[in-house]
Amino acid sequence: MSNSIGRLFVVTTWGESHGKCLGAVIDGCPANLHLTPEDIERELARDIPDIELGTKRHEPNKFEILSGWQKNRTLGTPICLIIHNTDYKSIDYKQFQNLIRPGHADYTYVEKYGHSNLIKGGGRASGRECIARLAAGAVAKKVLSCFDISIESKVVEMAGIPISSKEDYQKAKEKALLEAKDGESTGGIVELRVKNLSTGAGSPIFGKLDAVLASGLMSIGGVKGVEVGAGFSAAKMKGSVCNDEFYLDQGKIRCRTNNAGGLLSGISTGEDLVIALAVKPTPAIPRQQKTVNIKEMKETTIECIGRFDINFTPRVAPIAEAMAAIILVDELICSGYIHPSKISTLTKI
Amino acid sequence: MSNSIGRLFVVTTWGESHGKCLGAVIDGCPANLHLTPEDIERELARDIPDIELGTKRHEPNKFEILSGWQKNRTLGTPICLIIHNTDYKSIDYKQFQNLIRPGHADYTYVEKYGHSNLIKGGGRASGRECIARLAAGAVAKKVLSCFDISIESKVVEMAGIPISSKEDYQKAKEKALLEAKDGESTGGIVELRVKNLSTGAGSPIFGKLDAVLASGLMSIGGVKGVEVGAGFSAAKMKGSVCNDEFYLDQGKIRCRTNNAGGLLSGISTGEDLVIALAVKPTPAIPRQQKTVNIKEMKETTIECIGRFDINFTPRVAPIAEAMAAIILVDELICSGYIHPSKISTLTKI
Amino acid sequence: MSNSIGRLFVVTTWGESHGKCLGAVIDGCPANLHLTPEDIERELARDIPDIELGTKRHEPNKFEILSGWQKNRTLGTPICLIIHNTDYKSIDYKQFQNLIRPGHADYTYVEKYGHSNLIKGGGRASGRECIARLAAGAVAKKVLSCFDISIESKVVEMAGIPISSKEDYQKAKEKALLEAKDGESTGGIVELRVKNLSTGAGSPIFGKLDAVLASGLMSIGGVKGVEVGAGFSAAKMKGSVCNDEFYLDQGKIRCRTNNAGGLLSGISTGEDLVIALAVKPTPAIPRQQKTVNIKEMKETTIECIGRFDINFTPRVAPIAEAMAAIILVDELICSGYIHPSKISTLTKI
Amino acid sequence: MSNSIGRLFVVTTWGESHGKCLGAVIDGCPANLHLTPEDIERELARDIPDIELGTKRHEPNKFEILSGWQKNRTLGTPICLIIHNTDYKSIDYKQFQNLIRPGHADYTYVEKYGHSNLIKGGGRASGRECIARLAAGAVAKKVLSCFDISIESKVVEMAGIPISSKEDYQKAKEKALLEAKDGESTGGIVELRVKNLSTGAGSPIFGKLDAVLASGLMSIGGVKGVEVGAGFSAAKMKGSVCNDEFYLDQGKIRCRTNNAGGLLSGISTGEDLVIALAVKPTPAIPRQQKTVNIKEMKETTIECIGRFDINFTPRVAPIAEAMAAIILVDELICSGYIHPSKISTLTKI
């Protein structure tokens, strides 16, 4: 259970980090969507890690569309996407045998599933799992593009350095690399922006669009916080500042500011959706840390020597876009904006 | 749709702010739970607003248990709880006719549902809606109490003042009252703590416990951000600091720190769950703000004179507890810790 | 769990047979639907039992609309309907104490929920539970009426007598009354017909419309079989007879016969939906039957003296209509035929 | 949407009849289940059609387990099973271009999805789709076998001939072959029996086990009716005959007869579950039938020359078992009988 997301546009992911392949099944994609292999390739390519910041595990992310698709058009039937794992070295993980890595899922998974041996490489609780989200997100983005809805993301903080320019990013990267020399990893903040979403999308109460997005984004490994619009700084604002006043812009109701982040009571205002995510530092670090050998139930230490990102904030960005795309397509179908079975009869929102 | 939450323990709320009554239906509560009217009364009483900070709308929150319950025991059938609205003055809302209040759901609801008239008093998009969550949360808390799991909350920041003592709280309250004299509202931050949750609760990938909790908490009106454990400050930490090292405490695996907030890959570690919520300032303020008359489609101004909280952060706290309780009971049933139909056969976690 | 049905149009029922009241919450009903108390009253009145065939328990079925509705229009928020129980005599059930009635839910409920005492009068496992389905069905029918979709039902067999005229019905009723003199109950068959449903409603594979309808109809107490179109007689047909040939009727594709019952691969053909339900004889009969005293775990006998229908087939008919209406509205919203939030923007199918 | 079934044990199927492959993702299978390739192979082999009755399309049903499984043990993560299509000749379908086959999904799918061309070979609306159900069912059966629950099926009527012996089956088969010489197809009835299911499984009201099973079984292509226990014949019975009297058998409550088919109010009594399914004759027959060319919107005729079963009743039997197994595992997890995450902690029901 829980490897699926969505109500009418349902994405199910499967596959372990170090198995043969991972994949996603997308159920409820309207028929007749123009979809090319390049649409998916382009998104998967965004997961190729930064040569300096990223893991040394590099995969070409070769994929196949196994169903639901013919001659660059979707059929309305479930789309199964498969991504092959090619750069898998199980040997990396021998060193951790029976050791639970601090900050990792090793301990909680063994408690939940009772595996006698820890799954090598984290199994599903690995960043690699997200490749299937990227693939499904590519399809969702293609649906959104029919309505001129676009999703952008950027790293706005890394290794403690705020980023608003290329120079800032370079500075932050150098900081991250410097820490890495010391065997340290670092984190950061990603900002997500959805443009051109019409007014009225989202559901009330438990289905508020911010609630659903918060859930989807918090489900990305390493994300420890989500905020919408002004977020935590709203807690420090006065009402007259926080409220976004309304005005008329060529007959359309608009907001002068966007502290709400495009959502009032969980329903879209027509302004950009703006959401930020906090990403924690990579837990696997080549420094000695205290831990427990769960077989012998003895205290010991661990050093994670392997191919791990020294900062995976930049890799979270496209995955956050994918999650937002998946959730928005589902919401727009459920809200009656996107026709559930055929793209041809879609009316622009 | 979307007025329900949960998979096996499902809470559905209904009722408008200014209708006769509001209520909740709780489906999937195990039979034979000892539940008294006082259990519910106690939680509902927590919604009585602070005389100074709160709305002047005061309700005794008279309630009835209409089903699923007999002689202080649950039957295993759906429990319908009803809370009567008694202090309802619709006249308050005439002043806003056709005006969309900045920061409120007025605009988005009219776009979504196409009401020719705005619903008086916000309908479902009112803080009053949460009284039904409190009632359902009381039942969920009673279930949790059978396993010695408790949930606490506190306001850790209000009107920009950090709070770690009664004196701090008093200082913050004075700040809020001072702002209120100027027609301003203020916000704050609530911290939630779940104690004694066993290891292994939560589901992987899209069903991570932090994801599900984030969704439930973000669904509370006015909440703009959610963070787990170190949250946004994790983004600034080094790996060796952020990671919670493991040790053995009388044969039990424990963590020395709790930056993870009790969750690794969405599954509980056995440490306290720690979650923070950002609450925005009350949008309805007695200051002139720019808005639009949506009937005449003309720009105008609005002043919200009425019975509104000047800071509703303290009121969010018990609701956050209720949401966490509801989500946890569902998760513990789905995770196999709590028996889905009868409380007598429950094994302690 | 499981007291709800539907995906976007969700009906949840609650209440025990012999409690104060029963009710339904309808979530996802589009706003602006014209709905009068008479619309509901009319359907509830259909549950008043036949003076001769039915139980002697007669209730006026007084109801209230507690939410989601104002000035004869729905608001788009959940509609809570409550029906008061007035003719409740718990004394009837004392005779059965600790005895499990053959053909009744007494045994299975006690096994599932572990009640130390059997719930008086069957609790939720009573025909009375269906009054909430009727109320919710009335709302669903009103939605369907906006699209000229109508649902009809008739008893086509009772007490073993096939019925195709008023005379047949009279004959069958006499047969049932004759059996009743002997302390016997009887069953029958109900046929359901949905008219004017457009082509293309229904979902593939596990969501086939016949599958969803079969589930909803089989969930009615006492229903032991469901068939679509030719049903079990299709098993005896040759292919050329069973297949419904297509032809053109004023530019519209039609079928000459309707053995498919209006559904091919779970999706509507545009012909009438035709479904039949088998109803078993009332299990509570005033004849001595063997049973077990579950407290003493001793074999004994039971005679059910009380107010029970001698044949409840005619009472199943309107409930079957209600279930079909609820399921169809959900399906038509999910299929993109009915707008999920506002009735005004509905395009005729 | 709707290509998934289940709540905590969720099966999603994908793949077209004439694509490269079909598959199933099983989410929620407990970890540590002993599962061998042979377990799946055995079930898939049951789909090899009878040489005389079946289609001439013969496939070895080569499959792979892509995830969720290692060293003959499940991991608790989603199990993706893939079955390759090998015997695919798209040329078969050219003859039907733009013609909608009577009794087939051609017409309803084109209406729903708006495909400009009909999908070759029926796409998902083909009997071939069920191979993925068989594969998932094999896993479900393996789970059930840990609790000694078994599922059996048999053809009890074929081509109008009732079957209670091998001789009867031979007679029925000859009848079917005789009809086939005349270009006709025939149908039949399958009986399903679940043994050793404990008392108390199933959920009340809309989640009754018979309702859920009816839905799952009716979702199999060609099934037009489902009945539980006495089914439609219950409609003709007297109450005293239909009721199954209780007695004590070595301290266990049992029923002397089983007209209820093992279910009272949707919850299992501990007796065998007994369910029958009506299967219609194969719609694709090599006889001239009237139809419509949907491109030219002209009446015409069609003859289905191809590789079609002349009677697919025997092929429905194992699929019915698979569906029952899938539904039962889900129900037993949701009812608290099977632990949701690990097989080792399972207590016998």
Side-chain angles (χ1 to χ4, degrees), chain D residues 209-258:
Chain D
L209 192 45
D210 26 11
V212 183
L213 285 165
S215 179
L217 297 170
M218 198 71 111
S219 81
I220 302 171
V223 172
K224 299 301 286 180
V226 174
E227 51 181 20
V228 177
F232 276 86
S233 46
K236 291 180 169 42
M237 286 177 177
K238 297 180 190 183
S240 68
V241 175
C242 188
N243 283 342
D244 303 313
E245 291 182 312
F246 293 109
Y247 73 106
L248 283 171
D249 178 15
Q250 300 179 307
K252 197 180 150 5
I253 295 171
R254 295 288 309 274
C255 295
R256 287 205 188 274
T257 51
N258 192 11

Side-chain angles (χ1 to χ4, degrees), chain A residues 1-5 7 11-13 100-105 107-109 111-113 124-125 129 133 157 159-160 179 184-189 199-208 210-212 214-215 218-221 223-232 234-248 251-253 256 259-261 263-265 267-269 276-285 287-292 294 297-299 323 331 334-335, chain B residues 1-5 7 11-13 100-105 107-109 111-113 124-125 129 133 157 159-160 179 184-189 199-208 210-212 214-215 218-221 223-232 234-248 251-253 256 259-261 263-265 267-269 276-285 287-292 294 297-299 323 331 334-335:
Chain A
M1 74 218 196
S2 90
N3 293 280
S4 293
I5 188 168
R7 292 159 295 168
V11 170
T12 304
T13 68
I100 49 175
R101 287 170 290 170
H104 255 276
Y107 175 50
T108 53
Y109 267 61
E111 283 291 307
K112 185 167 192 73
Y113 297 106
R124 294 280 287 159
E129 171 265 328
R133 304 190 189 206
E157 185 185 304
E179 295 287 4
E184 282 290 6
S185 60
T186 46
I189 296 176
T199 318
S203 299
I205 313 301
F206 305 119
K208 285 176 180 174
D210 24 12
V212 183
S215 179
M218 198 73 111
S219 81
I220 302 170
V223 172
K224 297 301 286 181
V226 175
E227 52 180 19
V228 178
F232 276 86
K236 291 180 168 42
M237 286 178 178
K238 298 181 189 182
S240 69
V241 174
C242 188
N243 283 342
D244 303 312
E245 292 182 310
F246 293 109
Y247 73 105
L248 284 171
K252 197 179 153 1
I253 294 170
R256 284 202 190 277
N259 289 315
L263 290 167
L264 285 173
S265 265
I267 299 169
S268 59
T269 62
L277 295 78
V279 180
K280 75 175 187 181
T282 313
I285 47 172
R287 280 170 77 103
Q288 210 177 57
Q289 292 204 279
K290 291 179 185 155
T291 189
V292 169
I294 55 159
M297 282 303 271
K298 267 193 188 163
E299 295 190 351
M323 290 309 298
E331 183 55 51
C334 290
S335 289
Chain B
M1 72 217 198
S2 91
N3 292 281
S4 294
I5 188 167
R7 290 159 298 167
V11 170
T12 304
T13 68
I100 49 176
R101 287 171 291 168
H104 255 277
Y107 175 50
T108 52
Y109 267 61
E111 283 291 308
K112 185 167 192 73
Y113 297 105
R124 293 282 285 162
E129 173 265 326
R133 305 191 188 205
E157 184 186 305
E179 294 288 3
E184 283 290 9
S185 60
T186 47
I189 297 177
T199 319
S203 300
I205 313 301
F206 305 119
K208 285 177 179 172
D210 25 13
V212 182
S215 179
M218 198 70 111
S219 81
I220 302 171
V223 172
K224 298 301 286 179
V226 175
E227 52 181 19
V228 177
F232 276 85
K236 291 180 168 42
M237 286 177 176
K238 298 181 189 183
S240 69
V241 175
C242 188
N243 284 343
D244 303 312
E245 292 182 310
F246 293 109
Y247 74 105
L248 283 172
K252 197 181 151 5
I253 295 170
R256 285 202 189 275
N259 290 315
L263 290 166
L264 285 173
S265 266
I267 299 169
S268 58
T269 61
L277 297 78
V279 181
K280 74 175 188 181
T282 314
I285 46 171
R287 279 171 77 103
Q288 209 176 58
Q289 290 203 281
K290 290 178 186 158
T291 190
V292 168
I294 55 157
M297 283 303 271
K298 268 192 187 162
E299 295 189 348
M323 291 309 299
E331 184 55 50
C334 290
S335 289

Side-chain angles (χ1 to χ4, degrees), chain C residues 270-288:
Chain C
E271 303 299 324
D272 287 359
L273 287 199
V274 186
I275 302 181
L277 296 77
V279 180
K280 74 175 188 181
T282 313
I285 47 171
R287 280 171 78 103
Q288 211 178 58

Side-chain angles (χ1 to χ4, degrees), chain C residues 3-42:
Chain C
N3 293 281
S4 293
I5 188 167
R7 292 161 293 169
L8 295 185
F9 181 83
V10 185
V11 170
T12 304
T13 68
W14 52 269
E16 285 80 39
S17 168
H18 289 76
K20 285 189 244 190
C21 51
L22 299 105
V25 179
I26 304 158
D27 192 12
C29 183
N32 207 31
L33 174 73
H34 185 250
L35 179 77
T36 66
E38 291 71 34
D39 290 323
I40 295 166
E41 211 167 273
R42 196 185 320 120

